[in-house]
Amino acid sequence: KAGVTQTPRYLIKTRGQQVTLSCSPISGHRSVSWYQQTPGQGLQFLFEYFSETQRNKGNFPGRFSGRQFSNSRSEMNVSTLELGDSALYLCASSWTSGGTDTQYFGPGTRLTVL
Amino acid sequence: SQQGEEDPQALSIQEGENATMNCSYKTSINNLQWYRQNSGRGLVHLILIRSNEREKHSGRLRVTLDTSKKSSSLLITASRAADTASYFCATALNTGGFKTIFGAGTRLFVKA
């Protein structure tokens, strides 16, 4: 069974631009969660989607948004990029809720904002 | 501050030795999970222990959970150089939906 895939793997943007990251979960998984990882803040929860509905959201500004499609694939969007948005963005999928079930992580998208 | 806090922040041992990492958390949890991450890559799930369990084993890994002390430990026995990685504990907070909170992690270095 294929694992969680994320595209692109690396991305370089400039301040003020917007970016869309994509995550394809393991087949059959309905929950997708997104995390931001930085050296200073560590791993921080962004949001979780289940059956196309956002079920939970972390403490991030409204510039961070996401969505999930009927095939469970998910995208996250960051608008008006800031230097501090440079990070590794990880998505994880699970059968049910990411909080009660094992999460399987993708390799991440490394975003650099110049 | 974060829900989960690992201790120590860094650990350096010789191959063959055991490595113990601890995690403390603040609020009631549904379960606690341990993950490994190699050099800024994706996380690999190691073990999930539910709040009604006290101990779990998986190969060379042993996890304990003490809900009265709000703490967990991960023991890696007979460590190998390939175990060199960062290890994170994660707890699930029920806030209407579940929010997974990660600790800062323990960086383990196993010398060959």
Side-chain angles (χ1 to χ4, degrees):
Chain A
K1 187 181 277 191
V4 177
T5 58
Q6 291 186 247
T7 57
R9 292 292 311 279
Y10 301 90
L11 205 50
I12 299 175
K13 291 284 187 178
T14 56
R15 280 181 298 174
Q17 288 187 310
Q18 76 164 21
V19 66
T20 299
L21 311 182
S22 180
C23 172
S24 293
I26 291 172
S27 178
H29 285 190
R30 296 166 65 187
S31 170
V32 174
S33 297
W34 287 90
Y35 298 87
Q36 181 197 65
Q37 186 176 29
T38 60
Q41 299 297 318
L43 273 156
Q44 294 189 288
F45 173 81
L46 279 157
F47 27 65
E48 179 192 13
Y49 286 88
F50 183 87
S51 294
E52 302 178 67
T53 301
Q54 186 183 89
R55 290 210 294 196
N56 218 329
K57 192 177 190 310
N59 297 324
F60 280 82
R63 299 185 297 108
F64 291 81
S65 64
R67 59 177 176 168
Q68 186 180 34
F69 302 96
S70 58
N71 62 357
S72 293
R73 190 177 70 84
S74 177
E75 288 181 346
M76 68 162 280
N77 184 75
V78 188
S79 62
T80 319
L81 284 166
E82 300 176 359
L83 294 179
D85 296 334
S86 293
L88 180 66
Y89 290 88
L90 295 161
C91 84
S93 74
S94 57
W95 287 104
T96 57
S97 166
T100 60
D101 199 1
T102 297
Q103 293 185 72
Y104 296 86
F105 281 79
T109 293
R110 173 80 59 187
L111 172 65
T112 302
V113 181
L114 303 175
Chain B
S1 62
Q2 296 188 354
Q3 161 78 333
E5 300 287 344
E6 282 95 340
D7 168 55
Q9 289 185 329
L11 183 60
S12 181
I13 59 174
Q14 292 289 141
E15 218 170 19
E17 295 181 337
N18 296 341
T20 299
M21 288 158 266
N22 303 296
C23 168
S24 60
Y25 56 92
K26 294 184 175 66
T27 62
S28 296
I29 59 172
N30 177 275
N31 64 67
L32 186 143
Q33 304 184 44
W34 285 91
Y35 291 85
R36 183 187 75 227
Q37 184 179 39
N38 292 83
S39 299
R41 298 180 185 173
L43 278 72
V44 174
H45 182 262
L46 297 176
I47 285 185
L48 181 154
I49 185 165
R50 303 199 183 278
S51 57
N52 61 350
E53 297 176 308
R54 292 295 167 259
E55 188 171 311
K56 233 175 165 178
H57 296 256
S58 176
R60 295 184 294 113
L61 307 180
R62 172 180 169 251
V63 166
T64 61
L65 178 64
D66 187 333
T67 53
S68 67
K69 295 181 179 177
K70 292 187 169 60
S71 68
S72 173
S73 68
L74 169 66
L75 168 67
I76 303 174
T77 59
S79 62
R80 306 166 182 167
D83 295 328
T84 294
S86 291
Y87 292 82
F88 297 89
C89 69
T91 52
L93 301 182
N94 190 343
T95 58
F98 283 97
K99 182 186 293 189
T100 301
I101 307 297
F102 282 85
T106 292
R107 294 186 66 181
L108 173 66
F109 181 64
V110 181
K111 294 176 281 188

